[in-house]
Amino acid sequence: MNDTKNWYFGSYGGRFVPESLMNPLEELSEAYETYKKDPIFLNELEDLYHNYSGRPTPLYFAEVAGRKLGSGKIYLKREDLNHTGAHKINNTLGQVLLAKRMGKKRIIAETGAGQHGVATATVAARFDMECVIYMGEGDIERQKMNVFRMKLLGAEVRAVKSGGGGLKDAVDEAIMDWVQNTDSTYYLIGSAVGPHPYPLMVRDFQSIIGQEVREQLKKAGESLPDYIVACVGGGSNAMGIFHEFIQDKSVKLIGAEGGGTSMENGCHAATLTMGKPGILHGSRSYLLSDPDGQVSPSYSISAGLDYPGIGPEHSYLKDTGRVIYRSVSDSEALHAFRFLSEKEGIIPALESSHAIAEGMKIAETMKEHEVMVINLSGRGDKDIYTVAEHIGMNI
């Protein structure tokens, strides 16, 4: 029996890390395998989901938006209504409970849009743990509101100035911290990326999204959806809603990547659309790279999608054709941001706006009996200054 076979999704995944991290990763794997089947652990997590985070989140029938776009039915999975304003809390609650049982006293994390940083700072405060968040210098500037929230929650926010000052660079710094402090520190990765067991573990903690969608559609009198759409940066919210429906072949799964301002000139974050396989941050997956194999800079108006890599399970799902990945430009995302705000009174995160934009295209082709679910992964409070700047509106 090959002990490493569960490290991979097809040929993607693995553990490409310094030797000093192999034992901590094995310790984490053993802890996760133990506690994911432990009734006491699962009951505590369920209680936190319900009484602390506010789950289940609603599945909202977007009737007005649907009428404006076509004949089909559009539902929004309202992850923006979670405590802290995004899906990220699902994963941070699960991982902080693991950290607690592993005896760790210090939590570190990376963040781009700031939502994972806020969720990590939140659970660290809840469990009285020291918390350090690594964030790119450029992202700190465009996500000032979330930086302030993290500090209010008691976290130290460390600005990363190396490289392009983005999410990739924040991950680099967090890994270096972890290498130096493995005994005391738990690295709480925010997306379905990194070395095994993180992609598997993050997906599992986020899969409550899809599980709820299945049950909520039944209660709404619907059968299986025809389409499920989610934005894709590292890939956690998408895997969270896709995983439950992978075996339902009639359900079309669509991921919306950050198309930026130019697919031709490299000003994008469309890793699966434009990238190729390579190794980044401890695992093999698709990534953006130059002809010499070096990681290329990424760009998206959305800080949470501005990442040159992708989770290994997404890479596998692309190659098998089970999920279709498409790019959405900055301008399309901005249009969707305003559309949902004005037609439904819901202000989406710029990340989620990419999924809304792709859903709007699909809606134009839907038949009356067809159903689409769009994962509204986060709320847009954090993005109002960025949007105002791009559309020329004063605040």
Side-chain angles (χ1 to χ4, degrees):
M1 181 177 178
N2 184 358
D3 291 336
T4 66
K5 69 178 182 178
N6 67 337
W7 294 8
Y8 289 88
F9 303 94
S11 63
Y12 301 102
R15 283 182 188 163
F16 298 89
V17 296
E19 187 63 32
S20 59
L21 288 182
M22 292 301 284
N23 283 338
L25 284 167
E26 192 56 35
E27 177 191 13
L28 176 59
S29 291
E30 291 173 0
Y32 180 60
E33 288 301 315
T34 296
Y35 289 114
K36 75 178 185 180
K37 297 172 284 190
D38 177 24
I40 297 174
F41 177 91
L42 294 174
N43 286 340
E44 185 175 0
L45 181 58
E46 184 179 358
D47 180 74
L48 287 165
Y49 279 162
H50 182 69
N51 293 310
Y52 190 67
S53 182
R55 303 204 71 89
T57 57
L59 184 68
Y60 171 68
F61 178 43
E63 185 176 9
V64 176
R67 283 202 310 266
K68 295 286 183 181
L69 294 171
S71 301
K73 296 179 181 178
I74 300 174
Y75 289 88
L76 304 178
K77 180 56 172 166
R78 297 293 307 277
E79 290 299 292
D80 58 311
L81 295 180
N82 269 310
H83 178 43
T84 73
H87 70 290
K88 294 295 187 180
I89 193 76
N90 303 327
N91 171 54
T92 58
L93 283 170
Q95 288 202 55
V96 80
L97 290 183
L98 275 180
K100 173 185 169 184
R101 282 162 170 77
M102 292 171 69
K104 305 299 182 182
K105 305 297 183 184
R106 179 175 178 263
I107 300 288
I108 61 171
E110 82 298 324
T111 197
Q115 287 301 129
H116 175 59
V118 170
T120 301
T122 297
V123 300
R126 167 66 177 76
F127 287 93
D128 193 26
M129 292 183 176
E130 179 186 351
C131 183
V132 176
I133 307 294
Y134 288 91
M135 191 170 189
E137 189 175 42
D139 290 337
I140 285 176
E141 179 60 29
R142 59 178 167 172
Q143 296 293 342
K144 291 179 181 178
M145 181 184 296
N146 274 344
V147 173
F148 183 60
R149 292 171 73 195
M150 285 181 261
K151 292 178 178 178
L152 278 177
L153 290 160
E156 177 189 350
V157 180
R158 294 187 182 176
V160 177
K161 301 180 181 180
S162 59
L167 181 55
K168 171 192 173 295
D169 311 293
V171 175
D172 291 340
E173 291 292 328
I175 291 173
M176 284 194 286
D177 183 320
W178 193 29
V179 168
Q180 297 167 13
N181 299 286
T182 53
D183 289 343
S184 64
T185 298
Y186 184 98
Y187 181 17
L188 205 164
I189 290 182
S191 199
V193 299
H196 177 78
Y198 283 107
L200 175 69
M201 187 167 61
V202 174
R203 180 204 71 193
D204 287 351
F205 286 135
Q206 292 291 0
S207 64
I208 190 170
I209 302 171
Q211 292 164 15
E212 288 180 2
V213 166
R214 185 183 290 273
E215 291 302 314
Q216 289 168 325
L217 283 172
K218 286 182 184 176
K219 290 179 181 177
E222 306 287 1
S223 56
L224 288 173
D226 296 279
Y227 302 90
I228 296 178
V229 186
C231 66
V232 181
S236 63
N237 94 90
M239 282 314 312
I241 197 167
F242 289 165
H243 182 63
E244 176 70 15
F245 297 93
I246 293 291
Q247 301 306 318
D248 297 301
K249 302 302 183 184
S250 66
V251 181
K252 300 176 182 69
L253 306 176
I254 296 138
E257 296 192 295
T261 58
S262 173
M263 296 291 282
E264 291 74 26
N265 296 330
C267 294
H268 62 81
T271 305
L272 289 166
T273 310
M274 302 294 287
K276 57 187 178 182
I279 294 171
L280 177 65
H281 294 146
S283 72
R284 183 176 188 270
S285 64
Y286 275 80
L287 55 89
L288 300 177
S289 58
D290 63 22
D292 296 324
Q294 298 300 308
V295 178
S296 299
S298 59
Y299 165 76
S300 172
I301 190 174
S302 161
L305 303 188
D306 191 356
Y307 182 64
I310 187 70
E313 189 166 8
H314 281 291
S315 299
Y316 171 74
L317 292 170
K318 170 190 163 60
D319 280 3
T320 61
R322 180 62 190 95
V323 180
I324 302 300
Y325 297 91
R326 297 170 181 160
S327 64
V328 173
S329 69
D330 285 359
S331 60
E332 289 172 326
L334 284 167
H335 175 66
F337 182 99
R338 297 192 72 174
F339 175 83
L340 196 67
S341 299
E342 293 171 3
K343 304 306 178 189
E344 290 289 353
I346 299 172
I347 302 175
L350 279 173
E351 290 81 14
S352 309
S353 298
H354 286 69
I356 298 295
E358 183 59 35
M360 290 168 68
K361 298 175 193 174
I362 295 168
E364 294 176 355
T365 69
M366 288 171 63
K367 298 179 176 63
E368 189 173 352
H369 67 277
E370 290 186 310
V371 172
M372 173 167 54
V373 177
I374 303 174
N375 200 21
L376 190 59
S377 59
R379 67 183 186 223
D381 311 39
K382 65 185 179 61
D383 295 316
I384 56 174
Y385 294 103
T386 299
V387 172
E389 180 183 343
H390 279 81
I391 66 175
M393 183 182 290
N394 294 323
I395 296 181

